[in-house]
Short mmCIF file of all heavy atoms in Angstrom, two decimals:
data_model
loop_
_atom_site.label_atom_id
_atom_site.label_comp_id
_atom_site.label_asym_id
_atom_site.label_seq_id
_atom_site.Cartn_x
_atom_site.Cartn_y
_atom_site.Cartn_z
N ALA A 92 -33.38 -37.43 2.33
CA ALA A 92 -33.90 -37.61 0.99
C ALA A 92 -32.80 -37.41 -0.04
O ALA A 92 -31.78 -36.77 0.25
CB ALA A 92 -35.04 -36.63 0.73
N ASN A 93 -33.02 -37.95 -1.22
CA ASN A 93 -32.11 -37.67 -2.33
C ASN A 93 -32.90 -37.54 -3.62
O ASN A 93 -34.08 -37.93 -3.70
CB ASN A 93 -31.00 -38.71 -2.44
CG ASN A 93 -31.48 -40.13 -2.29
OD1 ASN A 93 -32.44 -40.52 -2.94
ND2 ASN A 93 -30.84 -40.90 -1.45
N TYR A 94 -32.24 -36.97 -4.64
CA TYR A 94 -32.91 -36.59 -5.87
C TYR A 94 -32.05 -36.92 -7.07
O TYR A 94 -30.82 -36.84 -7.02
CB TYR A 94 -33.18 -35.08 -5.88
CG TYR A 94 -34.03 -34.61 -4.72
CD1 TYR A 94 -33.46 -34.23 -3.52
CD2 TYR A 94 -35.42 -34.56 -4.84
CE1 TYR A 94 -34.24 -33.81 -2.45
CE2 TYR A 94 -36.21 -34.13 -3.78
CZ TYR A 94 -35.61 -33.77 -2.59
OH TYR A 94 -36.38 -33.36 -1.54
N ALA A 95 -32.73 -37.24 -8.15
CA ALA A 95 -32.04 -37.36 -9.43
C ALA A 95 -31.60 -35.97 -9.89
O ALA A 95 -32.24 -34.97 -9.58
CB ALA A 95 -32.96 -38.00 -10.46
N ASP A 96 -30.51 -35.93 -10.66
CA ASP A 96 -29.99 -34.65 -11.12
C ASP A 96 -31.03 -33.86 -11.93
O ASP A 96 -31.04 -32.63 -11.88
CB ASP A 96 -28.74 -34.87 -11.97
CG ASP A 96 -27.55 -35.32 -11.13
OD1 ASP A 96 -27.58 -35.14 -9.89
OD2 ASP A 96 -26.59 -35.86 -11.72
N SER A 97 -31.87 -34.56 -12.64
CA SER A 97 -32.84 -33.91 -13.52
C SER A 97 -33.89 -33.09 -12.77
O SER A 97 -34.53 -32.21 -13.34
CB SER A 97 -33.54 -34.95 -14.40
OG SER A 97 -34.19 -35.92 -13.59
N VAL A 98 -34.07 -33.37 -11.47
CA VAL A 98 -35.10 -32.66 -10.70
C VAL A 98 -34.54 -31.92 -9.50
O VAL A 98 -35.28 -31.21 -8.81
CB VAL A 98 -36.22 -33.62 -10.23
CG1 VAL A 98 -36.80 -34.38 -11.41
CG2 VAL A 98 -35.69 -34.58 -9.16
N LYS A 99 -33.25 -32.05 -9.27
CA LYS A 99 -32.63 -31.44 -8.09
C LYS A 99 -32.83 -29.92 -8.13
O LYS A 99 -32.60 -29.29 -9.16
CB LYS A 99 -31.15 -31.80 -8.05
CG LYS A 99 -30.50 -31.71 -6.69
CD LYS A 99 -29.10 -32.31 -6.74
CE LYS A 99 -29.13 -33.81 -6.93
NZ LYS A 99 -27.77 -34.41 -6.89
N GLY A 100 -33.25 -29.37 -7.02
CA GLY A 100 -33.49 -27.94 -6.93
C GLY A 100 -34.89 -27.52 -7.35
O GLY A 100 -35.29 -26.37 -7.11
N ARG A 101 -35.63 -28.42 -7.96
CA ARG A 101 -37.00 -28.10 -8.40
C ARG A 101 -38.05 -28.92 -7.66
O ARG A 101 -39.16 -28.44 -7.42
CB ARG A 101 -37.15 -28.35 -9.90
CG ARG A 101 -36.22 -27.53 -10.76
CD ARG A 101 -36.54 -27.68 -12.25
NE ARG A 101 -36.40 -29.05 -12.72
CZ ARG A 101 -37.38 -29.76 -13.29
NH1 ARG A 101 -38.56 -29.22 -13.46
NH2 ARG A 101 -37.16 -30.99 -13.72
N PHE A 102 -37.71 -30.16 -7.32
CA PHE A 102 -38.65 -31.06 -6.65
C PHE A 102 -38.23 -31.22 -5.19
O PHE A 102 -37.04 -31.24 -4.87
CB PHE A 102 -38.66 -32.44 -7.30
CG PHE A 102 -39.28 -32.50 -8.66
CD1 PHE A 102 -39.59 -31.35 -9.39
CD2 PHE A 102 -39.55 -33.74 -9.25
CE1 PHE A 102 -40.16 -31.43 -10.64
CE2 PHE A 102 -40.12 -33.82 -10.51
CZ PHE A 102 -40.41 -32.66 -11.21
N THR A 103 -39.22 -31.36 -4.31
CA THR A 103 -38.96 -31.61 -2.90
C THR A 103 -39.86 -32.73 -2.41
O THR A 103 -41.08 -32.66 -2.58
CB THR A 103 -39.22 -30.35 -2.06
OG1 THR A 103 -38.42 -29.26 -2.54
CG2 THR A 103 -38.89 -30.61 -0.59
N ILE A 104 -39.25 -33.74 -1.81
CA ILE A 104 -40.00 -34.87 -1.26
C ILE A 104 -40.11 -34.67 0.25
O ILE A 104 -39.18 -34.19 0.91
CB ILE A 104 -39.32 -36.20 -1.61
CG1 ILE A 104 -40.24 -37.38 -1.30
CG2 ILE A 104 -37.97 -36.34 -0.92
CD1 ILE A 104 -39.71 -38.72 -1.84
N SER A 105 -41.26 -35.02 0.79
CA SER A 105 -41.46 -34.92 2.24
C SER A 105 -42.43 -35.99 2.69
O SER A 105 -43.18 -36.54 1.87
CB SER A 105 -41.99 -33.53 2.61
OG SER A 105 -43.24 -33.28 2.01
N GLY A 106 -42.41 -36.27 3.97
CA GLY A 106 -43.28 -37.30 4.51
C GLY A 106 -44.02 -36.82 5.74
O GLY A 106 -43.51 -36.00 6.50
N ASP A 107 -45.22 -37.31 5.91
CA ASP A 107 -46.02 -37.06 7.11
C ASP A 107 -46.40 -38.42 7.67
O ASP A 107 -47.38 -39.04 7.21
CB ASP A 107 -47.26 -36.23 6.75
CG ASP A 107 -48.06 -35.83 7.98
OD1 ASP A 107 -47.94 -36.49 9.03
OD2 ASP A 107 -48.81 -34.84 7.89
N ASN A 108 -45.62 -38.89 8.62
CA ASN A 108 -45.85 -40.24 9.14
C ASN A 108 -47.19 -40.35 9.86
O ASN A 108 -47.80 -41.42 9.88
CB ASN A 108 -44.71 -40.65 10.06
CG ASN A 108 -43.45 -41.01 9.29
OD1 ASN A 108 -43.41 -40.87 8.06
ND2 ASN A 108 -42.43 -41.45 9.99
N ALA A 109 -47.67 -39.25 10.43
CA ALA A 109 -48.96 -39.28 11.11
C ALA A 109 -50.09 -39.55 10.12
O ALA A 109 -51.09 -40.20 10.45
CB ALA A 109 -49.21 -37.97 11.84
N LYS A 110 -49.92 -39.07 8.90
CA LYS A 110 -50.93 -39.30 7.85
C LYS A 110 -50.54 -40.46 6.95
O LYS A 110 -51.28 -40.78 6.01
CB LYS A 110 -51.10 -38.04 7.00
CG LYS A 110 -51.67 -36.86 7.76
CD LYS A 110 -51.89 -35.67 6.84
CE LYS A 110 -52.52 -34.51 7.60
NZ LYS A 110 -52.74 -33.32 6.73
N ASN A 111 -49.37 -41.06 7.22
CA ASN A 111 -48.90 -42.18 6.39
C ASN A 111 -48.86 -41.81 4.92
O ASN A 111 -49.26 -42.60 4.03
CB ASN A 111 -49.79 -43.42 6.61
CG ASN A 111 -48.98 -44.67 6.89
OD1 ASN A 111 -47.88 -44.60 7.44
ND2 ASN A 111 -49.51 -45.81 6.50
N THR A 112 -48.38 -40.61 4.65
CA THR A 112 -48.40 -40.06 3.30
C THR A 112 -47.06 -39.41 2.98
O THR A 112 -46.45 -38.77 3.85
CB THR A 112 -49.54 -39.03 3.16
OG1 THR A 112 -50.80 -39.68 3.42
CG2 THR A 112 -49.57 -38.42 1.76
N VAL A 113 -46.63 -39.57 1.75
CA VAL A 113 -45.43 -38.91 1.23
C VAL A 113 -45.85 -37.99 0.10
O VAL A 113 -46.74 -38.33 -0.68
CB VAL A 113 -44.40 -39.95 0.76
CG1 VAL A 113 -43.26 -39.28 0.00
CG2 VAL A 113 -43.85 -40.72 1.96
N TYR A 114 -45.20 -36.84 0.03
CA TYR A 114 -45.54 -35.83 -0.96
C TYR A 114 -44.34 -35.57 -1.87
O TYR A 114 -43.19 -35.72 -1.48
CB TYR A 114 -45.93 -34.52 -0.28
CG TYR A 114 -47.04 -34.67 0.72
CD1 TYR A 114 -46.78 -34.81 2.08
CD2 TYR A 114 -48.37 -34.69 0.29
CE1 TYR A 114 -47.81 -34.95 3.00
CE2 TYR A 114 -49.41 -34.83 1.22
CZ TYR A 114 -49.12 -34.97 2.56
OH TYR A 114 -50.13 -35.12 3.47
N LEU A 115 -44.65 -35.15 -3.08
CA LEU A 115 -43.62 -34.67 -4.00
C LEU A 115 -44.07 -33.31 -4.51
O LEU A 115 -45.01 -33.23 -5.31
CB LEU A 115 -43.41 -35.64 -5.17
CG LEU A 115 -42.26 -35.28 -6.10
CD1 LEU A 115 -40.91 -35.44 -5.39
CD2 LEU A 115 -42.29 -36.15 -7.36
N GLN A 116 -43.42 -32.27 -4.01
CA GLN A 116 -43.69 -30.91 -4.48
C GLN A 116 -42.85 -30.64 -5.70
O GLN A 116 -41.62 -30.74 -5.64
CB GLN A 116 -43.37 -29.90 -3.37
CG GLN A 116 -43.56 -28.46 -3.78
CD GLN A 116 -45.02 -28.11 -4.02
OE1 GLN A 116 -45.89 -28.50 -3.27
NE2 GLN A 116 -45.28 -27.36 -5.10
#
């Protein structure tokens, strides 16, 4: 994954392929 500087360290992206869903914490 990669992040824009404005959100780096605060946002986390993750994926659950079994649920076919991506999350943004």
Side-chain angles (χ1 to χ4, degrees):
N93 44 50
Y94 301 89
D96 289 342
S97 58
V98 306
K99 202 171 291 183
R101 300 188 298 122
F102 289 12
T103 303
I104 192 170
S105 62
D107 186 337
N108 285 5
K110 295 183 178 180
N111 230 29
T112 300
V113 170
Y114 304 97
L115 186 68
Q116 177 68 43

